[in-house]
Amino acid sequence: MSPLELITAHPWRRAAFTTYALSLAFFEAVVLDALVRGGSREALILADVEGVRGALSEHGARGAGRDYEVEPIKVERGVFHPKVTALSGEDQDHLLVGSGNLTFGGWGANFEVVEHLHPSFAADAFDDAADFFENIASSASLRHAATDQCASIAEGLRAAGTRGQRTGAIRLVHSLDGAISDQLIEFAAELGGASRLVVASPFWDGGSALDRLCSGLGLDEAFVHAHSGDAVQGTAGSNWPLAAKHKVNAVCIDAFDDDDNRRLHAKVFEIVCRRGRVVMSGSANATSAALGAGNNVEACVVRIQRERVVGWTYTASNPLAHAVLADETAENTTENNGILRATLDGDCITGLVLSPRLFGPARAWLLGPEGAGPLPETAIDGEGRFIVDAPNLEVHSWRSGRLIIRVQVADGRLAEGFVSLAAFTHVTRRAGAMAPRLLAMLAGTETPADVAAIMLWLQEDPGRLSLSAPVTSGGASARGQGPSLDATVALSELESRSSPFRPEITGDGDVGGASWKRFMSHILAAFREPRGPMAGTESRTPDDDDDDGAPPPDARPPDPAIQRSFANFEAILDEWIAPKLAAQLGAVLFAMAIYMCDRLSPEAGQARAWFDRLLDKLPRTSTTDDLRNDIAAVALLVMSIEGTPQGVRQARNRMLHFGVDLSSDPPSENTIPGPRSILSPDASYTDLWREVQSVRTLREQVLSYLDDFADGLASRTYPDIAIACHEEWPVLAEALMSERARRNVLIVAPGRESCPKCSRALPVAEIYKLRQHYVATARNCCGRVLAVGRP
Amino acid sequence: MATPSIDELLAAARNADGPSFPPPGKVKTGGVDPLGLRQINFDLMDKVLPGLNNVARHVRPFVIVTWASRRAIQLANDAGLTEAKVDELRDFVDRIEVIYAWSQFLRSPDADLPGRDVLARLVASDSYLFGGVEWRKRRDAREFSTALTAPVNYGPALKVLGWVEPHPKYRKLLIPRTEAAGALDAFEGLIVDRLDHPAFSQLGEVEVTSEEARIWADAWSNDTVTPAEKRTLAEMLFGQSAPNDRRQGGALMIAAVQHGVSDETTAVRAAMAGRPSNFVPANDLGPASDAWRRVQVRQAFRLALESMFSWIVGALDAGPKSTHQLVANFLAELARPPTPVNAGDWVLQYRPERPAPTEILDRLQAALQDAAGDDLASAIVEAFAFCLAEESAAGDSTERADRLPLWRARHEVEAWSKQSVEAFLGHIIESWVLAQHVYWSLGRGLADARARGKTILRLRVVLDEGGWTLAPGATRPFPVPTPDRLNTAFSLARECGLLAVASETVQ
């Protein structure tokens, strides 16, 4: 079986991995990829400090602490060496116990071994695994900060075990409650004692561990697998039990024949007994550090086959050529940086130095590609704990991914480690399968498919935005779908052109949780941040590759998800622009429209249609100071492509509606570059602004007229009233000249729909005129001209 | 093979009587932009030749699509309809496109049009029915691939240049713009001989013979572009209605040709980029020349980094290596071993005497093509030195840092200038090349995973036990510069007579 197949096969709620060596590039490229494809949520890696030290050098892998958590574990006298994967879902719990580290080598490139267990046939092993994680949580010989996570994993495993069948045939053994070799000897004794021992292991301690095992089993000799592809190599240790006192017979186990000639990294022990057979596989090499007590942390699966006495078949072989090999279980004696782990909660980093033991005042830095950025000084207490103030770091982490902190005490010793986000667990649980997409958006690496999904997700429940006031939604609108083959179009629309509620929200609309609020505020900020078109839009080529290679790289089809994104955004627009929602969501809608232009490059007509709706429908109350500048810029761009005097007055009208101060400076030329590049790339805000300043809207002219009317003199001109209200204009003009004619003009309050003198409702056409042109005639009563005054 | 379900995996586990040995992972490898640098190159091209791609390089296809769109609407109107089926209108446009391509491939198998392979069977047949299941399948298949209107071909430029605009609701329906009317009328004058044929005069199913397509071929080939079509495209391409950047970019290109540089794009590309060329553009073209030089400098920087990546992958073929070992190997391959003690002086030492970005590109390409690879390390360092010297202190900080813009590179060089050459080279290898590679490989892979898209292992180099090592299936890439659209601009300008005028001026 392939572990990757299992990971992809189910949407795991939690995936926990233990490992010695760790390649985060491998984890993100292969395992996290599979978890994301499967729809999984949380991932946790428990790794030896050595593994974490290596991972800290992988500058390109940025997800640690944000997309998944890494918890280093320091073992007092040995290393943290188990390779256990615990997968739990709503109705599924599985264990993988094997020999492979979380590296390319451990997941396919080396010859490894793995056991796939499920409570339905291995409930005992789930109990044992629960004990194992409880031991990790509580062992005094381990230093880490994953106590709660380990306890939670143990709880899940124990619960899973209760649902299964116990036969005692499959057990998980580990080194935290005694020597593994002793447990093996006990199992053999229960089966009447050993008659043969066969071992496959890439690493040996010369032979002392083998001697102890043979002695315990009462055997004079052992059979050792000499792998045809050799064993995994390194820099120290031994690849063969050269110094064993017991007789060592080199064999080649038939079952280990590997067509791919991969190097051996599997660790397997077979003991054929008088009344059965014991097979142990997992992380433990044939070394004293692995099989003895109080050294490494190891985990293996033991199969106890009670009646079977036929063991592996093999052929005689030659011992492996002696090589200086990696003893990955040996303590590294070179001077390495120490390892710490830290959590960022709000504006504060709390950390724990795991190795070496540091104490006293310490300097701190945040490590990045440009070097080390200083943080405030701190002090490390006797337990290795420290606290550092780190304002504004959370948003940096959500966006950029991994943070690495370094602390250094006065004697020069230092420790480094990943900083995980305290909000991570809450956010990923809350966002569920949407979390990776939201995180991509924060990082600026989102794809059109992400945008489409996020739009749909927000439309489902605007409460997810976690705005200050609860948000309720109207009826669902039709999703944007392409026209069917039978769609028809009016031919009049095809003439050549020249220039131009759903029920109230409940569920996870609950906005509890400061971390969620902060997270969503970062998402909203991302909508407002100019980032330029994402790859795959018509103005951009696809970001990466077409591995079929045919089309030239500058000309590939735009991602179909772009149109889905537009459709989903338009569905949101349809719903949220309703008066009930627009007051709360107007600013978000406007930011989204700018974002869509900036990132997905819609065609100008489509973008203009969005902005026309927003500028005409959004209430002034939805406007913030920050937004007014963008609104002014958009109004100017629409005016620019309209290119008519009416367009200028419309722009002015729109800006006045939103309270834009037209006596101030125009928007800066780099405002909203995305919409600008689509709507009117060569437009100058300064020139357009001047045009807007030079005109007056019909409303402004009517109010000016009424000022003059009150003063009884015509001090200004009202050119548009004469055009738009040509029927009423003679009466209005005369009223400025003659006292008698003034009686033919009545001033009405905004919104009035009846004659103030006769109190009769106005005809519909006149009400319309009053709304559109602010002037109308009381045609069905006194015949006077009505003009809308100030509120 | 289908991915097994959780139940199938569970059944296998239940039936196992011992541990299993996982098979080697089967990975599909890929990735053509291994360091994630390409987007900045495109962004810079957008500042000189926006709206063009490297495919839409002839006038006539623009006219064909626009005319077909107008004709479809006319036919519906002539039929007295007030409404027309969207798909019928599209069907007509698709049909005209295919007949056009069919006829051109009959005229010359080397016709520079998309779809040669997929039309091969049709080209060989005696007749074709534009209707029924097969036609529908063909239409669907070509929509995003070989259709002239496809986004990979003339689709974007049809709209950006202003030939058509999409219907606001039915976006696949293209509405000709009035600016194209003169060109369409002139073109229609060329094809009056066939306008009464059902293929050109009615919506719905029609049949066309190969002989008819052959007869029609000459009249609407690229050789018959009318003055009106040329004028229309010239105006759209570089005229007053074009965006200022493209206008200036086009003017710069034409000025370079008028200067007598050459009528070959290679020489024009170099001249447009400024020194050491003796072509000095007019003052008003200075910004365009600067922008073009930035394109070429970025092209050189990207090619240098990708060449470095190629060198690293080649070096790891023999086994894992630490950064320290890679640095030592690289320095050993330099023609001039570093004499300065610090990185800042070392960069200065390699600054070329003739600061021509196109020559830097040429040298890198030559070094990559040389099987012995003797000059590659030196060419890479010289390219770095040149590009870093070109970047102004201010730079364009709007370019994303994770695309490794030159402003970031220069900033980091300044920060590392007092460090040793070895340390700085280690930084280049770890940060500029390998971290970029890992970051973008992972980011793109996870983007595919979120979209449940293709599964490709883009990683070619990883840090594993033993140092930097090749990922499974990794092969050495041999990078080439991304086409910079100049060939397209050149071709279009030549076809609409802008370069002919220039050449005459030169003579």
Side-chain angles (χ1 to χ4, degrees):
Chain A
M1 68 90 58
S2 162
L4 214 52
E5 290 174 344
L6 180 62
I7 286 177
T8 315
H10 193 71
W12 305 107
R13 183 170 41 80
R14 177 171 57 202
F17 304 85
T18 68
T19 188
Y20 169 74
L22 173 61
S23 165
L24 291 183
F26 159 76
F27 181 76
E28 292 186 19
V30 178
V31 182
L32 187 62
D33 182 288
L35 287 166
V36 169
R37 284 177 197 277
S40 300
R41 299 187 182 187
E42 298 170 44
L44 167 68
I45 299 169
L46 303 171
D48 186 78
V49 288
E50 283 301 318
V52 173
R53 181 174 291 122
L56 286 168
S57 308
E58 295 180 286
H59 300 297
R62 304 266 183 98
R66 188 190 61 176
D67 298 309
Y68 55 91
E69 291 196 83
V70 178
E71 286 291 352
I73 295 186
K74 171 65 181 166
V75 179
E76 200 71 27
R77 289 188 299 134
V79 297
F80 186 73
H81 201 243
K83 295 93 165 70
V84 177
T85 300
L87 302 168
S88 63
E90 295 307 322
D91 53 354
Q92 292 281 352
D93 290 275
H94 293 245
L95 277 173
L96 295 170
V97 183
S99 59
N101 288 303
L102 270 180
T103 62
F104 275 107
W107 282 52
N110 297 334
F111 186 79
E112 306 276 5
V113 65
V114 70
E115 285 274 17
H116 174 193
L117 306 180
H118 187 265
S120 61
F121 61 87
D124 303 288
F126 274 73
D127 289 344
D128 298 332
D131 292 342
F132 176 57
F133 279 97
E134 280 172 0
N135 271 284
I136 294 175
S138 61
S139 171
S141 64
L142 307 183
R143 276 173 65 75
H144 60 81
T147 302
D148 291 345
Q149 289 105 314
C150 289
S152 172
I153 294 166
E155 188 181 345
L157 290 167
R158 199 168 297 288
T162 62
R163 295 194 293 270
Q165 188 181 356
R166 286 176 179 73
T167 63
I170 302 177
R171 304 292 303 271
L172 184 145
V173 297
H174 58 87
S175 56
L176 283 169
D177 58 0
I180 287 177
S181 57
D182 291 346
Q183 297 176 63
L184 264 183
I185 292 165
E186 265 184 51
F187 287 127
E190 286 173 16
L191 295 182
S195 59
R196 189 183 83 178
L197 171 65
V198 183
V199 182
S201 172
F203 302 119
W204 300 79
D205 56 1
S208 56
L210 183 68
D211 285 335
R212 273 193 295 277
L213 189 57
C214 284
S215 299
L217 291 170
L219 296 173
D220 299 328
E221 62 177 357
F223 297 83
V224 173
H225 174 63
H227 195 63
S228 58
D230 211 332
V232 167
Q233 291 190 11
T235 56
S238 167
N239 66 344
W240 196 257
L242 289 172
K245 294 187 177 68
H246 290 72
K247 184 182 176 190
V248 174
N249 303 292
V251 297
C252 197
I253 303 170
D254 295 339
F256 285 38
D257 190 28
D258 181 32
D259 292 340
D260 298 291
N261 221 27
R262 292 173 293 170
R263 291 177 184 274
L264 177 76
H265 193 254
K267 306 104 170 31
V268 189
F269 298 74
E270 183 205 49
I271 305 169
V272 177
C273 303
R274 292 178 183 83
R275 294 199 302 272
R277 175 178 179 245
V278 175
V279 178
M280 181 179 84
S281 63
S283 68
N285 288 298
T287 64
S288 300
L291 297 176
N295 296 307
N296 291 350
V297 177
E298 307 277 2
C300 299
V301 166
V302 177
R303 285 185 179 259
I304 303 144
Q305 297 167 333
R306 294 186 187 281
E307 298 305 327
R308 178 171 174 169
V309 290
V310 179
W312 282 320
T313 58
Y314 49 72
T315 53
S317 183
N318 295 314
L320 290 181
H322 176 60
V324 176
L325 298 176
D327 180 355
E328 57 181 331
T329 64
E331 280 284 346
N332 195 333
T333 54
T334 57
E335 271 298 314
N336 279 323
N337 293 342
I339 295 297
L340 60 81
R341 57 89 55 207
T343 302
L344 174 64
D345 192 357
D347 291 339
C348 185
I349 294 174
T350 56
L352 171 67
V353 179
L354 299 169
S355 166
R357 290 200 178 269
L358 300 182
F359 176 74
R363 298 167 68 196
W365 294 267
L366 198 65
L367 304 186
E370 292 176 21
L375 291 168
E377 291 190 4
T378 183
I380 303 174
D381 70 13
E383 296 294 317
R385 299 183 187 282
F386 64 90
I387 297 175
V388 181
D389 289 333
N392 304 319
L393 203 54
E394 188 180 68
V395 62
H396 175 75
S397 177
W398 281 123
R399 290 180 174 217
S400 306
R402 72 184 211 160
L403 296 176
I404 296 177
I405 188 174
R406 172 191 288 167
V407 293
Q408 185 173 29
V409 291
D411 65 8
R413 289 181 304 154
L414 57 87
E416 296 173 351
F418 294 113
V419 182
S420 65
L421 284 164
F424 168 83
T425 304
H426 177 73
V427 166
T428 50
R429 283 184 186 160
R430 176 92 178 249
M434 195 55 57
R437 297 185 188 279
L438 294 168
L439 290 170
M441 184 158 178
L442 286 180
T445 56
E446 75 276 27
T447 63
D450 294 328
V451 177
I454 290 169
M455 290 290 157
L456 200 57
W457 181 74
L458 289 175
Q459 191 203 5
E460 284 170 0
D461 184 357
R464 289 170 171 149
L465 285 166
S466 222
L467 300 175
S468 52
V471 180
T472 57
S473 170
S477 64
R479 294 281 187 278
Q481 292 175 348
S484 75
L485 293 181
D486 293 330
T488 59
V489 58
L491 289 174
S492 59
E493 295 175 21
L494 299 178
E495 290 179 9
S496 290
R497 299 162 191 210
S498 60
S499 307
F501 244 174
R502 239 185 308 274
E504 291 225 337
I505 288 134
T506 55
D508 68 351
D510 162 46
V511 295
S515 54
W516 179 258
K517 277 187 177 173
R518 285 203 306 275
F519 179 74
M520 287 311 293
S521 74
H522 299 323
I523 293 287
L524 289 176
F527 276 129
R528 298 187 184 105
E529 185 180 308
R531 291 170 167 176
M534 68 177 75
T537 60
E538 282 209 13
S539 65
R540 288 278 176 115
T541 51
D543 188 30
D544 185 28
D545 27 340
D546 190 314
D547 297 90
D548 301 327
D554 197 15
R556 303 235 179 76
D559 190 333
I562 293 171
Q563 289 304 324
R564 285 207 310 277
S565 299
F566 293 155
N568 292 353
F569 170 66
E570 285 173 359
I572 285 184
L573 186 59
D574 290 344
E575 279 190 23
W576 294 7
I577 208 163
K580 190 177 173 188
L581 292 175
Q584 295 168 70
L585 297 169
V588 179
L589 264 182
F590 206 86
M592 281 179 171
I594 291 174
Y595 170 87
M596 301 299 278
C597 292
D598 186 50
R599 297 290 275 156
L600 295 175
S601 303
E603 282 155 6
Q606 192 171 18
R608 182 184 170 172
W610 298 340
F611 287 122
D612 276 336
R613 292 183 70 189
L614 288 164
L615 291 170
D616 290 340
K617 298 286 185 188
L618 289 187
R620 181 173 177 163
T621 50
S622 68
T623 316
T624 61
D625 287 344
D626 289 343
L627 195 56
R628 277 193 195 96
N629 192 52
D630 292 349
I631 284 176
V634 167
L636 291 174
L637 291 172
V638 172
M639 163 190 146
S640 171
I641 52 175
E642 178 71 23
T644 64
Q646 289 83 353
V648 181
R649 277 189 286 277
Q650 182 188 47
R652 184 179 173 94
N653 202 30
R654 285 169 163 174
M655 286 192 250
L656 290 173
H657 168 73
F658 287 105
V660 175
D661 180 3
L662 288 166
S663 65
S664 65
D665 292 332
S668 69
E669 293 295 340
N670 57 4
T671 302
I672 55 167
R676 180 174 167 154
S677 68
I678 290 167
L679 294 171
S680 189
D682 293 334
S684 158
Y685 290 137
T686 306
D687 294 346
L688 296 168
W689 186 257
R690 218 171 280 132
E691 275 190 73
V692 171
Q693 285 179 316
S694 70
V695 301
R696 284 177 302 152
T697 64
L698 188 59
R699 176 63 174 147
E700 286 177 298
Q701 290 179 43
V702 169
L703 291 175
S704 294
Y705 170 86
L706 291 177
D707 288 343
D708 285 354
F709 180 80
D711 295 341
L713 51 90
S715 64
R716 282 159 284 199
T717 59
Y718 330 100
D720 296 325
I721 300 179
I723 296 168
C725 315
H726 58 91
E727 288 179 275
E728 288 82 5
W729 176 242
V731 176
L732 293 169
E734 193 183 353
L736 292 174
M737 309 293 177
S738 136
E739 188 60 32
R740 190 164 154 269
R742 286 174 63 86
R743 288 197 293 254
N744 292 326
V745 175
L746 297 173
I747 301 172
V748 299
R752 181 157 187 134
E753 296 182 351
S754 61
C755 173
K757 182 173 175 61
C758 313
S759 298
R760 287 194 64 179
L762 296 169
V764 172
E766 297 305 314
I767 292 173
Y768 175 80
K769 275 172 64 180
L770 213 51
R771 284 185 189 156
Q772 290 296 309
H773 305 317
Y774 312 100
V775 172
T777 303
R779 290 192 192 284
N780 56 343
C781 52
C782 60
R784 286 180 168 81
V785 170
L786 314 179
V788 180
R790 291 190 172 81
Chain B
M1 198 173 71
T3 306
S5 68
I6 188 85
D7 291 336
E8 289 167 332
L9 291 167
L10 181 53
R14 189 179 286 119
N15 294 330
D17 65 351
S20 63
F21 305 101
K26 289 193 179 70
V27 289
K28 184 181 176 192
T29 57
V32 297
D33 182 27
L35 310 188
L37 306 176
R38 193 173 65 184
Q39 196 59 57
I40 288 182
N41 299 43
F42 287 144
D43 292 345
L44 292 173
M45 290 173 203
D46 279 344
K47 291 180 179 171
V48 189
L49 295 170
L52 304 183
N53 63 20
N54 291 305
V55 177
R57 52 183 172 260
H58 297 296
V59 181
R60 188 45 64 70
F62 289 115
V63 179
I64 294 286
V65 173
T66 313
W67 178 84
S69 301
R70 184 175 82 168
R71 182 73 172 173
I73 297 164
Q74 281 172 350
L75 293 174
N77 273 315
D78 292 348
L81 303 173
T82 54
E83 286 191 332
K85 281 194 169 181
V86 170
D87 191 58
E88 270 190 350
L89 299 174
R90 281 285 306 183
D91 180 279
F92 181 85
V93 177
D94 290 347
R95 178 206 307 165
I96 298 299
E97 272 194 35
V98 170
I99 295 172
Y100 166 68
W102 179 12
S103 74
Q104 296 310 300
F105 286 124
L106 283 171
R107 185 172 183 263
S108 166
D110 296 328
D112 188 15
L113 287 169
R116 180 188 296 114
D117 294 340
V118 293
L119 283 176
R121 273 181 56 200
L122 192 156
V123 170
S125 62
D126 292 335
S127 66
Y128 187 76
L129 177 67
F130 290 90
V133 175
E134 203 282 332
W135 172 234
R136 162 56 64 188
K137 274 189 191 167
R138 183 180 287 277
R139 287 182 62 204
D140 291 344
R142 62 193 297 281
E143 180 178 353
F144 290 108
S145 56
T146 58
L148 292 176
T149 49
V152 297
N153 296 317
Y154 286 74
L158 271 162
K159 290 170 253 181
V160 172
L161 292 178
W163 290 96
V164 296
E165 66 179 304
H167 184 275
K169 183 176 177 188
Y170 306 108
R171 308 200 69 79
K172 290 178 186 173
L173 261 189
L174 302 176
I175 305 171
R177 291 170 64 95
T178 53
E179 290 86 339
L184 302 187
D185 293 342
F187 169 72
E188 195 166 285
L190 297 173
I191 58 168
V192 286
D193 60 333
R194 69 207 66 172
L195 292 181
D196 290 336
H197 188 285
F200 293 82
S201 61
Q202 67 184 50
L203 304 176
E205 188 172 292
V206 297
E207 185 159 9
V208 173
T209 67
S210 176
E211 188 53 25
E212 288 167 331
R214 192 185 307 278
I215 291 168
W216 294 335
D218 284 345
W220 61 3
S221 74
N222 274 344
D223 298 338
T224 64
V225 176
T226 62
E229 290 169 270
K230 292 178 181 180
R231 278 196 304 276
T232 302
L233 179 67
E235 171 57 25
M236 291 174 172
L237 194 59
F238 298 136
Q240 289 307 305
S241 59
N244 185 55
D245 287 343
R246 194 167 67 232
R247 248 180 3 243
Q248 297 296 306
L252 178 68
M253 179 182 75
I254 292 167
V257 175
Q258 284 177 334
H259 180 70
V261 169
S262 166
D263 59 356
E264 293 301 319
T265 50
T266 307
V268 173
R269 176 179 292 111
M272 288 168 69
R275 63 188 185 284
S277 166
N278 61 7
F279 165 60
V280 180
N283 282 346
D284 62 330
L285 296 180
S289 181
D290 291 346
W292 185 250
R293 188 174 180 87
R294 284 183 63 81
V295 169
Q296 301 306 323
V297 171
R298 174 69 187 183
Q299 294 270 83
F301 186 56
R302 177 178 176 230
L303 188 62
L305 286 163
E306 291 189 355
S307 299
M308 182 81 151
F309 182 62
S310 169
W311 179 89
I312 291 170
V313 174
L316 296 179
D317 201 34
K321 286 184 175 58
S322 66
T323 302
H324 178 74
Q325 289 170 307
L326 288 171
V327 167
N329 289 8
F330 189 85
L331 289 174
E333 289 189 23
L334 286 177
R336 285 185 289 164
T339 49
V341 292
N342 67 47
D345 292 344
W346 182 59
V347 170
L348 287 175
Q349 179 193 349
Y350 271 88
R351 198 176 288 181
E353 291 171 9
R354 277 174 58 86
T358 50
E359 287 180 19
I360 295 286
L361 281 163
D362 291 343
R363 185 176 168 198
L364 280 168
Q365 286 181 277
L368 283 162
Q369 284 162 9
D370 175 19
D374 293 339
D375 189 40
L376 187 56
S378 297
I380 290 169
V381 176
E382 187 176 297
F384 284 154
F386 165 76
C387 297
L388 293 165
E390 283 283 312
E391 177 68 4
S392 71
D396 180 4
S397 59
T398 59
E399 292 168 348
R400 282 179 55 154
D402 59 3
R403 301 277 185 188
L404 189 46
L406 266 164
W407 64 259
R408 187 190 129 194
R410 182 180 163 127
H411 184 73
E412 292 183 20
V413 169
E414 285 169 4
W416 286 77
S417 62
K418 302 299 177 199
Q419 303 276 331
S420 69
V421 173
E422 288 79 5
F424 176 57
L425 198 49
H427 178 71
I428 290 179
I429 288 173
E430 285 189 351
S431 178
W432 291 8
V433 180
L434 296 177
Q436 282 291 127
H437 171 61
V438 172
Y439 172 77
W440 283 102
S441 298
L442 299 178
R444 287 166 173 156
L446 289 171
D448 285 341
R450 293 194 301 275
R452 310 294 189 270
K454 58 193 171 189
T455 303
I456 293 174
L457 183 65
R458 294 171 175 84
L459 271 179
R460 293 184 187 171
V461 177
V462 291
L463 191 59
D464 213 326
E465 296 160 84
W468 296 108
T469 189
L470 296 184
T475 54
R476 182 173 180 179
F478 286 93
V480 291
T482 302
D484 59 13
R485 305 178 190 169
L486 186 65
N487 286 347
T488 296
F490 217 79
S491 169
L492 291 174
R494 181 178 274 154
E495 286 193 8
C496 61
L498 294 173
L499 292 185
V501 171
S503 299
E504 284 160 17
T505 308
V506 173
Q507 289 158 10

